[in-house]
Amino acid sequence: MSLSKRVGIVSWVLQIVVALILFQTLFFKFSGAEESKYIFRTPGMEPAGRIGSGIAELIAVVLLLTPRTVVLGAAMALGVISGAIASHLTKLGIVVQNDGGLLFALAIVVFVGSLSILVLRRTRVLHLVRSAVRRLAPADALPATEKTARQNTP
């Protein structure tokens, strides 16, 4: 499941870009900056949404920069940023407090970057999904080969 050198470099560049964008917003969320308060007050999620999303983004940053958990970090970042994009499209608008659409553009970069990481590391994604399904599915719901493998596993 090892990546080629080129794909590995591209993935790491994307991981760093996504992590930096998410990390730089944490100061504003955790310090209670007025723009951040406005963003979360508009959909009625201030302060729990601001603090909660900040914690989720911090976890995503750590996971993105830890080699064994990159896929989980990218998935978490994709989920968090999907909520942000949905808020922009339904409640906030593209331009928030005369920012020229900068926050929306950064959200799109995080979305595309996170999705790209998952595509580049799709073998690992599939491995994790199969592993989770094996652990969660009842034995009688699995194909015969899976049942045999499960019976032979301690």
Side-chain angles (χ1 to χ4, degrees):
M1 284 193 290
S2 152
L3 300 175
S4 71
K5 185 173 182 170
R6 183 170 159 248
V7 171
I9 290 170
V10 170
S11 179
W12 271 102
V13 167
L14 290 169
Q15 289 163 230
I16 291 167
V17 167
V18 169
L20 284 173
I21 292 170
L22 292 175
F23 188 76
Q24 66 89 26
T25 65
L26 294 179
F27 171 78
F28 300 102
K29 285 184 176 143
F30 291 143
S31 69
E34 195 50 46
E35 183 179 59
S36 190
K37 286 181 175 181
Y38 170 80
I39 288 169
F40 287 92
R41 192 178 318 116
T42 300
M45 298 170 50
E46 170 63 23
R50 177 174 50 85
I51 302 296
S53 69
I55 291 169
E57 289 174 12
L58 179 59
I59 293 169
V61 167
V62 171
L63 294 173
L64 276 166
L65 299 177
T66 304
R68 289 181 55 116
T69 59
V70 170
V71 167
L72 298 174
M76 189 169 193
L78 188 63
V80 170
I81 213 63
S82 293
I85 290 170
S87 289
H88 275 279
L89 295 176
T90 60
K91 302 267 184 185
L92 295 169
I94 304 297
V95 177
V96 177
Q97 291 192 327
N98 300 316
D99 74 344
L102 177 63
L103 288 176
F104 183 76
L106 291 172
I108 296 297
V109 170
V110 169
F111 183 90
V112 171
S114 299
L115 186 59
S116 298
I117 293 164
L118 293 172
V119 169
L120 291 172
R121 295 177 176 269
R122 65 190 167 274
T123 303
R124 178 74 175 142
V125 171
L126 291 173
H127 173 75
L128 290 172
V129 168
R130 286 185 189 122
S131 178
V133 167
R134 262 186 256 126
R135 290 176 193 262
L136 297 174
D140 58 349
L142 297 172
T145 55
E146 289 291 328
K147 287 180 196 174
T148 305
R150 185 179 278 185
Q151 290 168 354
N152 294 333
T153 305

